[in-house]
Amino acid sequence: MNALYLMVAGLGAFTVGYLVYSRFISERIFQLNPEFRTPAHVQEDGVDFVPTNRWVLWGHHFTSVAGAAPIVGPAIAVIWGWLPAFLWITLGTVFFAGIHDAGALWASVRNEGKSIGALTESVVGKRARSLFMIIIFLLLLMVNAVFAIIIARLFVQHPTSVIPAWFVIAVAITIGYLLYRRGVALLWPSIIGVTLLYASMLVGNQIPLSLPESMFGLGPAGIWVVILFTYAAIASLLPVWLLLQPRDYINGLQLFIGLGIFFLAVLLARPEVVAPMINPSVPDDVPPIFPLLFVTIACGACSGFHGLVSSGTTSKQVNNEQDVRFVGFLGTVGEGSLALAAIIACTAGFATLGDWQGYYTSFATNGIDAFVQGGGGILASIPGISESFGRTLLAVMAILFAATTMDTGVRLLRYIVQEWGTIYDIPVLTGKGLSTVLAVGCCLALAFGSGGGGEGGLIIWPLFGTTNQLLAALTLLVLSVFILKQGRPTVYTLAPFSFLLFMTVWALLTQLRGFYDNEQYFLLGLDAVILVTAIWVGLESLSALRKAASESRESSA
Amino acid sequence: MDWRDRLGRVGELLHEFYVVRHRGALARERRQEDDLFMLLVFSEMMGIENPSNYYTLELLPLLYEGFHEWHLRMGMDHSPLEHFRCC
């Protein structure tokens, strides 16, 4: 089958989903009202609450939620064949992620722009909020560890990506400096900055940089993990305007350009999908597709992390309540298209089925390489782009996504540690120094504790997806309770909630068994903690729902 | 709209996109610095020795506009200074 059909079918499903289903949900369930005064107007303060153009807000929302995860998840999951991953991404984007992301945004807009954590406390209860914080902490820990491992892997496999990936830091700092210290307008620095980034990929493509085979008893991937966390620690201590802000910005621009180039290349190349529709001969170490598919692809189909963004910065800047549909649902569609691009790269970018099978010899480890390798082949159909340059471009794209997430992730972990310092009255933890060391230390422990000296640490990927889905389930629950209190139908949020909770608990049990059999006791412990939290969330939700249902019955009686 | 206006509009939207994500964090950081500066300028009046008092005195009228919000943020309902009325 031609990949073009896959692209048209996927993008078509997103379009129909947006035009039909999101309209239905917005009109019947959310009942979006253009007359409603949003928190951005009621509480306008020029700091957090600022009415913002919906295109700008969509750009912010989409680039905040899209990262390396919607690439890595599908890239791993096509090992079961392209159809299951394709179906889960299209159906998940429309029926799960769309209502989850837009719902969190809407609930927050209707509740003074409160974050989903604060909403949980007021809608479900204090205990549920504590569970929320535990899940977020674990999620941040895993995202940092996993992304460091992915970047390290890409640096080792594609040494041409090393120069551009580090050069972008210099570009970002220059833009930040020009804008804040020199007051230069942004247009030209943006154009020159992005041009320089792509020029540095050309340079990197000519000059690959590799680390020595072994240093201090670590392999090259292990060394890169240590270097990356040292960088992330320093970066998280720098002022936001100097590095994080311009870096996020360039990354956002690069996301639009990268997606555009990729879909253009698919149009030009019209590659054949060589991977099987459903893989009849999966390698021995691949876990069962049910339930693992649904946690291997979290971002790209449904991810709890999006709810944090929706209810964090986005909801406070919604100009008109009707923008919720545009920003929330279309942000999800953007993320779904990135996942779709990943599926096409990983299934149609190879010449033969044999080549494809060569990459998918075991679970989780080679997915991201398949994306770079396959996608590079497709990009080469654009005149002037060589296959090796295409590979460098995609490797750098994935690295930049993962690295900006790490920059933010380490900073957020530090904030949590500092907050604990304040709550439990431990003054040394409230400062920046020790809290950063602790945050980075935990991430490093997880990166190396998952085995393979940072080489094979993608073992925790499904566990990361599980935690992410659990967060999504919790958000959908809070949303359901809120909708129930308004006396509207809850089936559109409760159905995806039940599905996600069932799949995450099942996946946790499956993985628990796997970790026990492989004697990975560190991960076994982590899995157990998440499992207990998941069951607890289930119980809390039942009681909260029952209470809300009886309240709504009483009020209607 | 000629191309210059269009380009200007693109620049504006880019700038919005640039600031939208971190606006809150940056504004808070800036406010913290401003609060410290406020304390520095008003310190002499509150009985805190300030070697640069001679220079900061000139700034008083400029900072008076933000004085009300500042003393509220610092947890004082009214102006802490007897001869410096606010609300």
Side-chain angles (χ1 to χ4, degrees):
Chain A
M1 195 189 69
N2 200 292
L4 209 55
Y5 293 122
L6 216 57
M7 180 174 123
V8 172
L11 295 179
F14 294 152
T15 314
V16 174
Y18 176 69
L19 292 178
V20 180
Y21 189 64
S22 89
R23 177 187 290 270
F24 166 75
I25 294 292
S26 310
E27 285 176 3
R28 294 294 175 81
I29 310 298
F30 298 162
Q31 299 180 10
L32 300 180
N33 176 7
E35 303 297 318
F36 179 76
R37 267 170 64 77
T38 58
H41 289 283
V42 179
Q43 290 159 263
E44 182 168 0
D45 60 0
V47 179
D48 295 308
F49 296 88
V50 181
T52 303
N53 176 300
R54 69 178 184 163
W55 285 95
V56 172
L57 201 58
W58 170 74
H60 153 67
H61 188 76
F62 169 38
T63 52
S64 301
V65 298
I71 297 175
V72 180
I76 294 172
V78 292
I79 200 162
W80 287 295
W82 61 260
L83 187 65
F86 176 76
L87 284 178
W88 173 226
I89 281 171
T90 44
L91 296 177
T93 296
V94 174
F95 294 103
F96 287 68
I99 192 163
H100 168 275
D101 296 14
L105 185 56
W106 166 71
S108 177
V109 165
R110 282 275 161 175
N111 284 281
E112 297 131 29
K114 274 187 196 160
S115 75
I116 201 77
L119 260 177
T120 310
E121 188 174 336
S122 53
V123 176
V124 184
K126 246 203 167 103
R127 258 198 318 268
R129 183 177 189 174
S130 308
L131 290 177
F132 216 96
M133 292 313 293
I134 294 175
I135 295 176
I136 292 174
F137 184 78
L138 291 176
L139 196 65
L140 284 172
L141 210 60
M142 279 190 258
V143 87
N144 289 329
V146 168
F147 280 7
I149 291 165
I150 287 171
I151 301 174
R153 200 180 164 81
L154 285 168
F155 276 158
V156 174
Q157 303 282 342
H158 304 278
T160 52
S161 63
V162 174
I163 288 180
W166 292 100
F167 177 71
V168 74
I169 297 170
V171 174
I173 290 183
T174 312
I175 290 186
Y177 174 80
L178 285 177
L179 201 73
Y180 278 89
R181 287 282 182 263
R182 291 268 167 261
V184 177
L186 193 58
L187 187 63
W188 288 109
S190 310
I191 296 172
I192 296 169
V194 170
T195 314
L196 278 177
L197 170 63
Y198 284 94
S200 76
M201 290 183 201
L202 280 173
V203 176
N205 203 31
Q206 297 302 318
I207 313 170
L209 287 184
S210 300
L211 290 179
E213 273 309 304
S214 168
M215 270 163 80
F216 315 112
L218 284 173
I223 303 264
W224 275 125
V225 170
V226 174
I227 294 175
L228 282 163
F229 274 115
T230 313
Y231 155 75
I234 297 169
S236 73
L237 292 170
L238 291 177
V240 172
W241 65 265
L242 185 63
L243 179 61
L244 188 60
Q245 188 177 35
R247 200 165 151 81
D248 275 345
Y249 171 73
I250 296 180
N251 207 37
L253 295 183
Q254 196 243 148
L255 168 62
F256 289 114
I257 297 171
L259 258 185
I261 291 180
F262 187 82
F263 281 121
L264 175 72
V266 175
L267 271 179
L268 291 176
R270 298 185 198 161
E272 281 296 316
V273 176
V274 296
M277 189 158 82
I278 290 172
N279 194 356
S281 51
V282 288
D284 293 337
D285 69 334
V286 176
I289 181 165
F290 287 98
L292 261 289
L293 168 69
F294 302 93
V295 295
T296 303
I297 304 180
C299 277
C302 186
S303 141
F305 175 71
H306 297 191
L308 300 181
V309 178
S310 279
S311 66
T313 45
T314 310
S315 67
K316 297 177 180 67
Q317 308 188 63
V318 173
N319 181 35
N320 181 320
E321 199 187 27
Q322 282 196 317
D323 293 351
V324 162
R325 177 173 168 226
F326 183 84
V327 175
F329 275 99
L330 277 190
T332 315
V333 165
E335 167 118 329
S337 341
L338 189 59
L340 185 66
I343 291 189
I344 295 176
C346 296
T347 57
F350 298 90
T352 63
L353 178 62
D355 288 352
W356 182 81
Q357 281 166 333
Y359 271 88
Y360 286 93
T361 50
S362 78
F363 189 62
T365 42
N366 287 339
I368 189 74
D369 302 336
F371 168 74
V372 173
Q373 193 68 30
I378 294 176
L379 285 188
S381 65
I382 295 181
I385 293 186
S386 69
E387 204 171 322
S388 72
F389 180 70
R391 281 199 293 270
T392 306
L393 196 143
L394 289 179
V396 173
M397 187 167 144
I399 288 168
L400 294 191
F401 286 158
T404 35
T405 310
M406 268 181 81
D407 281 7
T408 316
V410 170
R411 200 179 278 265
L412 290 177
L413 265 184
R414 184 190 89 210
Y415 289 158
I416 295 183
V417 175
Q418 282 179 307
E419 209 173 301
W420 284 341
T422 318
I423 295 172
Y424 299 111
D425 201 20
I426 312 169
V428 280
L429 284 189
T430 54
K432 278 183 180 177
L434 190 64
S435 53
T436 303
V437 172
L438 263 179
V440 169
C442 288
C443 297
L444 270 172
L446 186 58
F448 285 99
S450 51
E455 305 270 352
L458 274 173
I459 310 160
I460 51 174
W461 179 265
L463 204 56
F464 162 62
T466 313
T467 318
N468 206 349
Q469 297 289 41
L470 196 60
L471 190 66
L474 190 54
T475 306
L476 281 168
L477 162 78
V478 174
L479 194 58
S480 304
V481 177
F482 183 62
I483 291 174
L484 189 63
K485 285 186 172 173
Q486 319 270 320
R488 296 173 198 163
T490 48
V491 60
Y492 308 100
T493 43
L494 272 188
F497 159 75
S498 317
F499 182 85
L500 287 181
L501 192 65
F502 178 70
M503 284 300 170
T504 43
V505 171
W506 187 6
L508 281 167
L509 289 171
T510 314
Q511 292 173 81
L512 202 66
R513 178 72 201 271
F515 292 142
Y516 180 77
D517 288 345
N518 296 329
E519 298 179 5
Q520 290 160 320
Y521 296 114
F522 181 69
L523 295 176
L524 185 87
L526 198 63
D527 187 306
V529 171
I530 300 168
L531 185 63
V532 169
T533 326
I535 293 170
W536 202 341
V537 165
L539 294 176
E540 284 282 332
S541 54
L542 270 181
S543 90
L545 267 176
R546 219 181 279 154
K547 217 173 111 195
S550 71
E551 273 171 16
S552 78
R553 255 199 309 276
E554 269 169 33
S555 64
S556 64
Chain B
M1 225 192 221
D2 72 349
W3 65 273
R4 240 174 240 280
D5 292 337
R6 269 173 218 273
L7 214 60
R9 180 76 186 129
V10 170
E12 273 171 36
L13 285 177
L14 275 181
H15 189 261
E16 269 290 294
F17 177 59
Y18 188 91
V19 297
V20 68
R21 192 183 302 190
H22 299 286
R23 180 161 38 210
L26 286 173
R28 258 188 298 277
E29 219 165 88
R30 188 198 167 116
R31 200 163 63 185
Q32 263 181 1
E33 277 179 25
D34 285 351
D35 284 352
L36 187 69
F37 185 65
M38 204 73 148
L39 181 71
L40 205 72
V41 173
F42 285 94
S43 60
E44 186 81 6
M45 290 187 169
M46 297 162 97
I48 305 167
E49 286 284 329
N50 180 3
S52 61
N53 183 35
Y54 177 74
Y55 303 97
T56 55
L57 201 61
E58 280 181 45
L59 295 169
L60 283 183
L62 296 172
L63 292 186
Y64 187 65
E65 223 167 279
F67 184 72
H68 173 67
E69 281 183 4
W70 175 72
H71 76 68
L72 284 184
R73 270 206 301 280
M74 296 301 109
M76 296 171 281
D77 290 337
H78 301 285
S79 167
L81 310 168
E82 269 179 31
H83 51 280
F84 204 84
R85 298 272 157 200
C86 176
C87 53

